Amino acid sequence: MSSRFSPPTVAGFRRQATLLLKDLCSTDAARQDAAARRFAALPVYARAGHAPPQAVQRKHALQVIALEQGAQDWPSLKALTEPIETAELLYANGPMSAYWNIWFSNYEEARAVHREKGGFLFPYRNHFFVSDEHFVRAAGLDPDAPEWREIGNDWAKPGNREAWARLANQLRAKAPKPRRSVAKRGTAADSQREATRG
């Protein structure tokens, strides 16, 4: 699948910030110059004309990434990204395609239908959809939980971050755990011990 369809993740943005810092400290003049120009988006560095590597911290790199993504700051980008990232878990608990959902290419259209028709609004990768309580229940959440009212039944842009976090934590707890790698093979002696037990 093309990476442009991959949902944004907080971890992905953090990796970008780490790479940006590495570029700024690089011995490659072109990489260092390109990184310094990106840091010029921050007012403190724009005034200085460049970003001295020793003065730059990870929080500055995160701020640059946030601005490049169209967010006001890192906390805002994180708040926008976590619901999209976590929505992937909605599909981990069963065949979500079995439910009747109304799909949209942008949030504004989805929000308009959501206001008119009700239901629950979710992000999915680069799209949005409105679904019903059956979908929520199939994902392992209670559609009647008070947190839904607190977030306005909107997972994409929740009205109350604390209420959304409680729902997200419930969803994370119900998501299938990643499988471990193949177990270490036993020795012949282990096999003999198993055979003699009993």
Side-chain angles (χ1 to χ4, degrees), residues 22-37 53:
K22 284 184 179 178
D23 284 350
L24 187 66
C25 298
S26 172
T27 56
D28 181 324
R31 283 176 58 194
Q32 189 179 49
D33 187 54
R37 281 196 306 273

Side-chain angles (χ1 to χ4, degrees), residues 18-101:
T18 299
L19 292 173
L20 177 58
L21 280 174
K22 284 184 179 178
D23 284 350
L24 187 66
C25 298
S26 172
T27 56
D28 181 324
R31 283 176 58 194
Q32 189 179 49
D33 187 54
R37 281 196 306 273
R38 290 173 69 188
F39 276 101
L42 302 180
V44 65
Y45 296 114
R47 285 192 298 275
H50 69 290
Q54 65 276 13
V56 179
Q57 298 175 25
R58 191 159 192 265
K59 66 180 181 180
H60 300 126
L62 289 168
Q63 179 69 8
V64 169
I65 299 301
L67 293 173
E68 290 175 347
Q69 294 297 317
Q72 175 182 327
D73 52 28
W74 171 247
S76 300
L77 179 61
K78 193 174 172 206
L80 289 169
T81 305
E82 285 178 328
I84 297 170
E85 179 181 5
T86 312
E88 293 283 306
L89 296 175
L90 291 164
Y91 302 90
N93 291 345
M96 297 295 108
S97 60
Y99 295 90
W100 186 262
N101 302 318

Side-chain angles (χ1 to χ4, degrees), residues 98-174:
Y99 295 90
W100 186 262
N101 302 318
I102 308 170
W103 288 85
F104 303 90
S105 59
N106 65 64
Y107 176 78
E108 290 72 26
E109 290 175 5
R111 183 67 180 132
V113 169
H114 178 244
R115 282 187 181 132
E116 180 185 337
K117 306 279 187 192
F120 299 81
L121 194 160
F122 295 99
Y124 182 70
R125 298 183 182 263
N126 296 329
H127 296 86
F128 300 87
F129 68 93
V130 175
S131 197
D132 61 18
E133 70 275 4
H134 302 294
F135 177 88
V136 173
R137 208 171 270 115
L141 297 174
D142 178 4
D144 298 317
E147 286 85 358
W148 288 108
R149 285 186 297 282
E150 293 178 53
I151 70 169
N153 286 2
D154 186 341
W155 193 275
K157 293 189 179 179
N160 181 312
R161 290 285 302 169
E162 290 77 19
W164 173 83
R166 290 194 297 274
L167 287 172
N169 286 336
Q170 290 173 32
L171 188 59
R172 286 185 190 107
K174 292 174 186 296

